Amino acid sequence: MGGDTITSTGSGSSEPDPALLDRLAAIRGRVADAARAAGRTHEPTLIVVTKFHPVALVQQLAAAGVTDVGENRHPEARDKAEAAAGLGLRWHFIGQLQTNKAKQVRRYVDAVHSVDRPELLRALSSPDRLLEVFLQVNLTDDPGRGGVAGDEALEALATETLEAEGVVLRGVMAVAPIDEPPAAAFARVVAASARVRSLAPQADGLSIGMSHDYVEAIEAGATHLRIGTAITGNRPV
Ligand SMILES: *Cc1c(COP(=O)(O)O)cnc(C)c1O
């Protein structure tokens, strides 16, 4: 992907960078086009992934009308969520999450997209405000990539999520493998989603689609897109 690196770190300014606004507008346009072409009546929710970027970028995105942001590491995500409090953003945790960090993460996020094991689910369960949960499906053979492997484990985790306190089962999430056409990978997520919906019809969320495959994801029925670099530019190293 092309795109400029955001260099306006540390300025604290939320004055939008014109290149950022251009990329955001371009992606919004392509998302709308793809949704229309797929005959969709609802556009998917656009989650802009801001991981590794400074809070100034989050502030610029909010000023440009972005409502949902995604982060993948605690405590960086918490620090940004605190610094950007009051902007009305919804925070999505999209990365692998250690069980011992779950309680802290649930305090500042609205949704966790990476729930893939009972221990994590139990740690996220709480009588506090409701947390939206997506069950992550592993589309690779590598357990290190995170995600539930196998239909039985997925159904068991869905059942436990439905019974857990303080969490709402929203749907499934996946990251397409790089060595496979996205449409083939997304077909497996759609099948996993059908299994979950057979247990919980309202859990129809499909969190798929990143910078390189969001058009295919929309064609497959994505309800939540997690787009980073195509909007933010390259992540700082
Ligand atoms: C980083 C990340 C994204 C965004 O990736 P881009 O290629 O920058 O769009 C989406 N989902 C997850 C789980 C990620 O870690």
Side-chain angles (χ1 to χ4, degrees):
M1 280 307 296
D4 302 326
T5 302
I6 303 298
T7 49
S8 59
T9 57
S11 71
S13 165
S14 58
E15 196 58 40
D17 168 359
L20 176 68
L21 294 183
D22 285 350
R23 290 190 298 263
L24 178 62
I27 296 293
R28 280 178 168 152
R30 284 183 216 132
V31 166
D33 289 348
R36 205 177 305 112
R40 302 271 303 269
T41 47
H42 290 294
E43 269 187 42
T45 299
L46 175 60
I47 301 166
V48 182
V49 177
T50 50
K51 64 190 185 192
F52 299 107
H53 286 284
V55 69
L57 180 85
V58 175
Q59 291 162 335
Q60 291 182 42
L61 290 167
V66 167
T67 54
D68 291 78
V69 291
E71 286 283 333
N72 72 339
R73 287 195 312 187
H74 177 83
E76 289 87 338
R78 177 200 58 205
D79 295 344
K80 280 190 241 179
E82 283 176 1
L87 297 179
L89 291 166
R90 287 173 47 83
W91 292 79
H92 299 256
F93 199 89
I94 63 171
Q96 289 185 37
L97 179 53
Q98 290 167 22
T99 304
N100 63 3
K101 294 179 178 171
K103 290 256 179 286
Q104 297 173 66
V105 166
R106 99 158 341 262
R107 291 199 192 111
Y108 61 86
V109 300
D110 301 281
V112 174
H113 291 237
S114 46
V115 175
D116 60 359
R117 56 196 193 280
E119 300 73 32
L120 176 58
L121 173 71
R122 286 169 207 154
L124 288 170
S125 176
S126 154
D128 295 350
R129 72 197 172 95
L130 288 177
L131 177 74
E132 290 190 2
V133 157
F134 292 77
L135 305 183
Q136 183 176 354
V137 177
N138 190 347
L139 299 177
T140 73
D141 298 327
D142 175 4
R145 301 299 293 271
V148 186
D151 294 335
E152 278 173 32
L154 177 65
E155 289 177 4
L157 190 57
T159 301
E160 187 164 346
T161 306
L162 291 169
E163 290 162 359
E165 188 180 21
V167 295
V168 177
L169 178 58
R170 193 67 188 78
V172 296
M173 175 275 216
V175 176
I178 41 172
D179 56 358
E180 183 184 4
F186 291 150
R188 300 205 294 286
V189 192
V190 169
S193 167
R195 285 187 175 268
V196 168
R197 279 183 286 115
S198 73
L199 300 167
Q202 73 287 359
D204 58 358
L206 209 49
S207 171
I208 50 173
M210 303 167 46
S211 291
H212 293 92
D213 57 21
Y214 67 89
V215 172
E216 291 90 341
I218 293 166
E219 287 166 356
T223 62
H224 293 70
L225 306 170
R226 309 179 312 269
I227 301 183
T229 49
I231 292 171
T232 64
N234 295 328
R235 288 183 270 275
V237 281

